[in-house]
Amino acid sequence: MLELRLVQGSLLKKKLIDAIKDLVNDANFKFSATGFSLQAMDSSHVVLVALFLGSEGFEQHLYGDELQQHG
């Protein structure tokens, strides 16, 4: 199971995610206790998106069976 909750007021991260969803249809995600990363290309293979969001940017995140609380 995976659950990520952005820290309140992190408008920049929300805007980044909104921009990425308009660029790519498929993406590879890697999740760990330290955060998550995303790598994807747009359908025309012009844009490569590589993003890492550390766990400290989330109020809490659930990875596997382990709930991590922050702040």
Side-chain angles (χ1 to χ4, degrees), residues 26 41 55 65:
D26 298 310
M41 286 198 87
S55 61
D65 293 330

Side-chain angles (χ1 to χ4, degrees), residues 11-62:
L11 184 60
L12 176 61
K13 288 179 187 166
K14 183 178 181 337
K15 286 187 177 194
L16 277 172
I17 293 169
D18 284 343
I20 291 169
K21 76 173 177 64
D22 293 335
L23 282 174
V24 299
N25 295 324
D26 298 310
N28 295 317
F29 292 91
K30 291 185 181 178
F31 300 94
S32 70
T34 60
F36 85 94
S37 62
L38 169 145
Q39 189 167 0
M41 286 198 87
D42 71 331
S43 59
S44 62
H45 294 272
V46 173
V47 177
L48 172 66
V49 176
L51 174 70
F52 175 78
L53 295 176
S55 61
E56 64 276 355
F58 301 96
E59 289 180 359
Q60 68 180 24
H61 68 280
L62 180 63

